[in-house]
Amino acid sequence: LRFRAVYAGANSTKGYDSQGNKVENGLKVSVNRSVAVLEYGLTDMISGQFLMNYSLGGKVQVEDETKFTTAVVNPTIESLAGATIDSGVSDLKKAIAAGLTGSLGALYNGSVNQGLAPTGGVDLSKVNAKFAGVTIPEGANVKDFIDNKLRGVLFSGAVAANSAAVKQKAEGTEFQKGLGDIEVGVKASLSTVSKPWFDGIPFYTSAGVGVRLDTSKYKDAIKDGKKPAGRGTTDLGIRLNADYEPLSGLQFQAENQTELQLAKGKSYANGAEVDYSREGMREVGYLKMVLAPGTWIPSAEFLMLNARYNWDNDAKTKTGDVESAGTVGRSAQAGLSLDGLKLQLPVQLDYDHVF
């Protein structure tokens, strides 16, 4: 019988764009969660596991205003206000062409004052309310300003007016707290040290099967605008493990878990409850090297070191009628394990740092 309590904290000051490239976005994100795991040896070859995820929440902070403005504020406002700004500039040019703007049309066409804005400049808000606060500077070429600079001036104004709201929204990102998904499964050893596949070859394998239950209140999190603590569907997992020990004290391990949806979940979109599903398979696993220095240094028998490469190729999701591509994750990690059983203490400690 073994019980494990796991704490995981993630911190990042970088993000990823739609192409998967790492970008400096001026944000710092901190997320924390915990996992409780209960395992029991049903027989010498079969073990059962009960795993419960619990989210401790997280927060987002703007750490670098300049990077945040460049990477987040400007693109956000571009997507929200870009079309409106283009439309406003286009309407103004059409009005000038139609002769509907009086003296501004004469300045634009160069027939008055050589096309230069007079003393005090030209207040465009008197021409169109869309241009509130925008003035063509005194002495500036009116045509050049409207053709080449007006959009930039309007965009800068939109950034200044809305950057606080974008920042507030980013820092207002909430992570759902509470129970995540519960997982239940069994694992069977197919070959062990005492019962290997081939005599004299230290190659060991096992296979597992389990179910991840949709217990996280995923729909409520989406409805409240929070980052959910669970995956939102009920899934089947089939896991394969292989360990090879080329020499005493060194072991190479591989694991891959294939996941398939068993039952749809519920999400929230456009003010209504909708079906939420995953289409296709998720493949998640790792390659790992474990070193036991106690093989050569008896006093270090309680210590193990590891290095690991992880992958996570997720399935596509469908929220109502809207499909989204599955995310692709890659990471590396290094860690150490302290086995108190070697010191006659009923405790084991693991620490891993994930990149």
Side-chain angles (χ1 to χ4, degrees):
L1 179 70
R2 178 168 72 166
F3 173 76
R4 287 185 287 161
V6 183
Y7 164 78
N11 295 281
S12 180
T13 55
K14 296 177 182 177
Y16 293 87
D17 64 17
S18 59
Q19 303 303 312
N21 300 311
K22 189 175 288 188
V23 295
E24 298 272 1
N25 56 20
L27 290 170
K28 181 178 181 180
V29 183
S30 302
V31 185
N32 305 281
R33 66 188 310 146
S34 62
V35 182
V37 189
L38 183 66
E39 297 163 313
Y40 182 69
L42 301 170
T43 72
D44 287 348
M45 303 291 282
I46 300 174
S47 61
Q49 183 186 80
F50 174 87
L51 186 152
M52 182 176 72
N53 289 282
Y54 193 89
S55 172
L56 302 170
K59 63 180 179 179
V60 178
Q61 296 171 284
V62 174
E63 198 171 53
D64 188 312
E65 292 279 358
T66 302
K67 291 178 181 177
F68 179 68
T69 298
T70 301
V72 181
V73 176
N74 289 356
T76 299
I77 293 173
E78 179 73 43
S79 66
L80 294 174
T84 301
I85 291 172
D86 287 339
S87 174
V89 174
S90 177
D91 288 348
L92 179 60
K93 290 183 178 180
K94 288 178 181 177
I96 289 172
L100 303 177
T101 57
S103 60
L104 178 62
L107 286 166
Y108 183 86
N109 294 318
S111 56
V112 173
N113 200 33
Q114 298 181 324
L116 304 180
T119 302
V122 179
D123 183 0
L124 290 183
S125 63
K126 294 181 179 179
V127 179
N128 190 315
K130 289 182 180 180
F131 307 123
V134 179
T135 299
I136 302 177
E138 178 182 326
N141 183 283
V142 172
K143 181 174 177 23
D144 179 64
F145 185 91
I146 292 175
D147 287 353
N148 304 315
K149 298 177 183 176
L150 180 55
R151 189 188 188 285
V153 170
L154 291 171
F155 183 72
S156 296
V159 170
N162 295 284
S163 59
V166 176
K167 179 180 179 180
Q168 184 178 24
K169 183 176 181 180
E171 294 193 320
T173 300
E174 289 189 57
F175 294 82
Q176 184 185 23
K177 294 182 180 180
L179 181 65
D181 293 337
I182 289 175
E183 301 175 20
V184 182
V186 293
K187 183 179 75 171
S189 296
L190 304 178
S191 62
T192 65
V193 174
S194 59
K195 297 178 181 179
W197 281 116
F198 308 102
D199 289 338
I201 298 179
F203 180 67
Y204 317 115
T205 57
S206 64
V209 62
V211 176
R212 179 188 297 110
L213 305 173
D214 180 18
T215 52
S216 70
K217 297 185 178 179
Y218 182 93
K219 182 195 74 175
D220 293 343
I222 297 299
K223 183 177 180 180
D224 294 338
K226 297 179 181 179
K227 301 295 182 183
R231 286 176 59 79
T233 54
T234 299
D235 303 320
L236 170 72
I238 300 172
R239 196 174 90 187
L240 299 174
N241 288 78
D243 303 335
Y244 176 62
E245 197 167 319
L247 56 91
S248 182
L250 176 66
Q251 192 174 83
F252 293 101
Q253 303 175 354
E255 174 180 299
N256 189 75
Q257 180 162 296
T258 300
E259 297 182 5
L260 298 163
Q261 176 185 286
L262 288 178
K264 294 180 181 179
K266 294 293 183 181
S267 188
Y268 198 82
N270 301 318
E273 180 182 291
V274 295
D275 285 338
Y276 180 72
S277 61
R278 297 181 183 277
E279 300 185 354
M281 296 185 296
R282 178 193 188 192
E283 303 289 349
V284 55
Y286 62 79
L287 294 174
K288 184 177 182 180
M289 180 181 72
V290 182
L291 186 67
T295 305
W296 307 282
I297 308 171
S299 61
E301 187 182 22
F302 65 91
L303 177 66
M304 284 194 294
L305 307 173
N306 74 79
R308 180 167 138 171
Y309 173 77
N310 308 295
W311 61 83
D312 186 349
N313 303 326
D314 212 342
K316 292 190 297 184
T317 62
K318 190 173 183 181
T319 305
D321 295 324
V322 180
E323 285 192 0
S324 298
T327 57
V328 176
R330 297 286 183 269
S331 64
Q333 72 185 60
L336 58 86
S337 299
L338 305 177
D339 188 356
L341 298 176
K342 302 293 186 181
L343 304 174
Q344 306 304 309
L345 298 173
V347 63
Q348 294 174 314
L349 298 174
D350 299 292
Y351 174 79
D352 292 293
H353 189 88
V354 183
F355 307 90

